Amino acid sequence: MGLYRDQGIVLRTWRLGESDRIVNLMTERHGKVRAVVKGVRKTKSRFGARLEPLVHVSLLFYEGRELDIVTQAEVVEFFRPVREDLSRLAKASALLEATDQLAQERHANGRLFVMLLGGLRALSAHDSALLVPAFFLKLLSTEGFHPLLDECAGCGDRYGLTSFDLAQGGVLCVACSGRGDSVSLSPAALDLIRRVLGGDLVGALGMPAGPTVAEVERLATRAMEHHLERRLRSLPVAGALAGE
Ligand SMILES: [Zn+2]
């Protein structure tokens, strides 16, 4: 039992009893942490709005037997431009939900924290149609599910790649398409996915909304849902951020 410091981003919250709250945080050094905030729902609470979803906070925790207790919280960033724009807020809630689903409790994953923070900062600076799909693709890649994009996952052929197989996590050629859980993939969408995962993320994020971005978005969402084995709630509607 003891105290520890970390920084984190609030992913979601629940009520606990009359005045307390449970928060899920993606922390820098302790993975996903589920902690209790005491008295947060009282009007005089010293925590105020600091422990609501989509706040980056610096924290002091007291280690509990089951759940840790937040004893101090200071805001690092509120991501105001995201909160004030419904379109960006919906995207942020998709990022938070995917992170919440993918992160393991108390399993340090500094890269995931940095990715989430980077995604939210990018969204604060600029609304990008490709932000959520790019985040999903990078997230899957970082977690060890880097898709095979240069050759057919079925036969190794490098030409005529026309679909993406969710189960195998790679592209398929014409001859191999239609098997398993595959979705069609246009050359432009394949090119965009290669840019997202191949080092031109910033350039790719500048792509305006359109059919290619929409196609990549559908594919990235299906790939993420396939991996999580569940549907994402916060897509495509906003509103999942209404914390207690
Ligand atoms: Zn093939």
Side-chain angles (χ1 to χ4, degrees), residues 9-28:
I9 294 161
V10 181
L11 302 172
R12 59 189 284 222
T13 68
W14 303 261
R15 268 173 199 232
L16 179 67
E18 284 294 298
S19 59
D20 301 342
R21 184 185 290 169
I22 293 180
V23 293
N24 262 10
L25 294 138
M26 183 67 219
T27 68
E28 183 183 30

Side-chain angles (χ1 to χ4, degrees), residues 152-157 172-177:
C152 173
C155 70
D157 206 330
L172 293 176
C173 73
V174 184
C176 295
S177 287

Side-chain angles (χ1 to χ4, degrees), residues 151-165 170-180 182-187 190:
E151 58 183 53
C152 173
C155 70
D157 206 330
R158 301 180 72 86
Y159 301 97
L161 304 168
T162 55
S163 68
F164 188 90
D165 189 307
V171 290
L172 293 176
C173 73
V174 184
C176 295
S177 287
R179 314 194 299 208
S182 64
V183 283
S184 72
L185 182 64
S186 70
L190 175 57

Side-chain angles (χ1 to χ4, degrees), residues 2 32 39 41 68 121 127 158 168 176 186 196 205 224 237:
K32 185 166 79 175
R41 300 178 61 234
D68 295 349
R121 283 183 176 158
D127 191 5
R158 301 180 72 86
Q168 297 195 57
C176 295
S186 70
V196 166
L205 286 177
M224 179 58 81
V237 286

Side-chain angles (χ1 to χ4, degrees), residues 78-117:
F78 265 123
F79 306 105
R80 287 205 193 277
V82 177
R83 293 172 180 277
E84 289 163 359
D85 175 355
L86 219 52
S87 156
R88 294 194 226 188
L89 194 57
K91 293 183 177 85
S93 75
L95 267 50
L96 297 180
E97 186 186 356
T99 304
D100 192 30
Q101 292 298 324
L102 215 71
Q104 294 177 45
E105 279 189 47
R106 296 168 191 267
H107 199 278
N109 190 338
R111 273 200 300 187
L112 186 47
F113 169 78
V114 167
M115 267 196 66
L116 178 61
L117 185 58

